Amino acid sequence: VRSLPILAQLAQQAGDTWMRLSEAGGDAASPASEPAQASALRDWLSDTLTAGGVAPLPSLAGALGSETAALSRAGNVQDACGCYYWALRLSDKVGADPPALVRRLGGGLNQRGRLALVAGELRAAEASFRDAFAAFSHASDPVNAALVLVNHATVWRSRAPSKQR
């Protein structure tokens, strides 16, 4: 039980690293161009979760096992969200629910929605924005919740038929 806060902190730091990788534009075309740090982090996280008997989220398990998903910006954001999820689960086991960690998860979900929106995946974008709004609302962060609503409105504008002049 004493190790749970440490594991939660490690998961949070791993999530922060994945987010930094996504912000750096980790869109490599081949596994050979993958940064060594990303490869080492992905391998460590996969081995740690497996060795600890903890089954990763299905989406995280898919991203960890797929070279192309781990190299993409969206894959890195997905991995960050998975890490933040596990950090929250571990924090919950010790009776804590840190709002800063919930905000990090919300930020990752918002970024995932923005990437899906750019890719034209409107359903995925809408689902991510909905989850991000829930995270920010849970963390009592009305400013970021409002920003997510603006992104969510962009999904609806994209679905609306364009007016001919």
Side-chain angles (χ1 to χ4, degrees), residues 74-99:
N76 291 337
V77 171
Q78 182 65 32
D79 288 346
C81 290
C83 290
Y84 292 144
Y85 169 83
W86 282 111
L88 280 168
R89 293 270 317 253
L90 292 167
S91 295
D92 187 46
K93 298 288 184 196
V94 294
D97 185 16

Side-chain angles (χ1 to χ4, degrees), residues 109-132 148 151-152 154-156 158-159:
L109 292 167
N110 184 48
Q111 181 64 15
R112 187 175 72 177
R114 291 176 46 202
L115 293 171
L117 185 61
V118 168
E121 301 168 359
L122 299 181
R123 284 186 182 191
E126 182 177 18
S128 293
F129 292 143
R130 191 176 318 127
D131 292 343
V148 170
N151 289 335
H152 196 214
T154 303
V155 171
W156 285 98
S158 298
R159 287 184 175 152

Side-chain angles (χ1 to χ4, degrees), residues 48-69:
T48 302
L49 291 174
T50 304
V54 177
L57 293 170
S59 56
L60 180 58
L64 290 173
S66 166
E67 288 298 321
T68 55

Side-chain angles (χ1 to χ4, degrees), residues 14-33:
D16 292 346
T17 302
W18 283 118
M19 284 303 289
R20 280 194 293 278
L21 284 171
S22 75
E23 292 163 1
D27 286 325
S30 70
S33 62

